Amino acid sequence: MSTTPSTDTVRIPLPELHDLACRVLRRQGLSQPHAEAMARTIVAGQRDDCQSHGVYRLVTCAHTIRAGKVDLQAEPVLAPASGAVVRVDARYAFSPLAFERGLPALVEAARTHGLGALVIQHCFHFSALWPEIEAITAHGLAALALTPSHAWVAPAGGHQPVFGTNPIAFGWPRPGPTPFVFDFATSAIARGDLELHRRAGKPLPPGCGVDAQGQPSTDPVAIAQGAMLAFGGHKGSALSAMVELMAGALIGDWMSRESLAFDAGDGAAPCHGELILAFDPARLSGGDPAAHQQRAEELFAAITGQGARLPSQRRYEARACSLAEGAAVPRALYEEILALAQ
C-alpha cells in the first residue's frame, strides 16, 4: 500500500484489495463463495476508478446485511435447461454468485441457438453491470444487460418516484484485451454517485432531481427525499420504463416500486431480477463473422479517428494504472473499510 499525501489517497495492490474485501464480507457473515464473487465485482469497480461502484459498496452491503433481508448463505439454484433461456434463482442472496453460476449455461445457449437469455430472480443487486458484460464478451459474444432497482426516479413530466435508476449495459467483443462496453443508468446520475455527494456534503449538477415539493434541487439530501430525474427527459424516461418491463414484468420478478415496498424503509440494496442477453456473432451474422467484425472495427476507427472517445476508454486507462500501481482508494473510505474487517 502507498499513500499520495496531496490527495489523501492510498493505492492498494488489487490482490490485497480483493483479500480485504473478502475479509469484510466474511466478517459480515457471507459464505466464502458469495464473498469471493462479490469481492471480484467490487474490486473491478475500484480498479476502473468507478468510485460509486467500487469498495464503497462494502459499506452499503454491510448496511443491507444489517437490515436482515438478504440470505447470506443461500446457494443459487440453476433451473434445468430450457432452450435458449437460462434461469437462476438467487434465493434472496446477493447477485454476483448467481451470475457466475449461470454464465456457462448462458454461453452454451448462445452458442447453440445464436442467442441466450439469463434470467436471475430474487437477487439483491448492488453492482455495476460491466463486469458481467465483460465476462460474456470474453467468450466472443455480444451482450445486453438490464435491471431495475428501487423506485427513486420520477417519470418525465412528473415528480413522484416510479422508476429505478434502471441501468442498461451493452458489450461488443473486439480483438485485444478490451471490448466495446457501455454501462449507464437511465437516471441523470447513478444512485451511488448521489450517495457519495451526500457523504461529501457536495451539491449535484443541475437537472439530477427534485425535492419533496417537486422543485428542482442540487441538494443530494433533498433529492433523496424527493425524486431523481431520468437523463434526456422523455427519452431516458421511456428507456427506464422499458427496463421495468423487460427486467421486471417480462421475467416474472419485481419492478422498482415493488422492490422499494419490500424494503419497507430499511434502506437496503434493491431486491429484484436481472435480464442478461448474449448474442453469438458467428451464428447471427449469416456467415463470415470475421468480415463483419472488421466492419465493426471500421466503425470504431471512424469514431476515434476524429478525436472522439469510445465508451469505457477512461475506465480502461484507469484499469491499466491500477494494474501497475494499485487501485486508488480515498483514505477515509479505506479506514472505514478496515474497521468493517475487524
Side-chain angles (χ1 to χ4, degrees), residues 175-191:
T178 55
F180 174 90
V181 174
F182 66 75
D183 177 0
F184 56 77
T186 52
S187 53
I189 191 170
R191 187 70 177 190

Side-chain angles (χ1 to χ4, degrees), residues 132-158:
E132 299 174 355
I133 292 293
E134 288 193 28
I136 299 169
T137 58
H139 292 273
L141 305 172
L144 178 68
L146 313 168
T147 182
S149 59
H150 280 335
W152 289 316
V153 181

Side-chain angles (χ1 to χ4, degrees), residues 28-169:
Q28 300 299 315
L30 283 156
S31 69
Q32 188 70 31
H34 275 294
E36 292 281 352
M38 291 172 68
R40 282 188 281 272
T41 297
I42 287 169
V43 171
Q46 201 69 36
R47 176 202 64 195
D48 288 7
D49 193 29
C50 183
Q51 299 293 330
S52 63
H53 288 80
V55 294
Y56 162 69
R57 294 287 166 158
L58 292 169
V59 178
T60 62
C61 286
H63 177 81
T64 293
I65 291 167
R66 287 192 295 270
K69 289 185 168 68
V70 62
D71 192 316
L72 306 181
Q73 307 292 323
E75 280 287 315
V77 176
L78 180 65
S82 179
V85 178
V86 177
R87 304 187 74 89
V88 179
D89 186 350
R91 300 173 60 207
Y92 296 95
F94 287 112
S95 61
L97 186 61
F99 171 78
E100 291 188 2
R101 295 289 171 81
L103 177 61
L106 173 65
V107 172
E108 179 62 26
R111 292 267 187 259
T112 301
H113 303 284
L115 58 89
L118 173 57
V119 174
I120 300 176
Q121 291 186 298
H122 310 131
C123 69
F124 283 83
H125 199 283
F126 68 92
S127 59
L129 294 177
W130 85 75
E132 299 174 355
I133 292 293
E134 288 193 28
I136 299 169
T137 58
H139 292 273
L141 305 172
L144 178 68
L146 313 168
T147 182
S149 59
H150 280 335
W152 289 316
V153 181
H159 62 275
Q160 297 293 327
V162 172
F163 304 137
T165 53
N166 292 12
I168 299 172

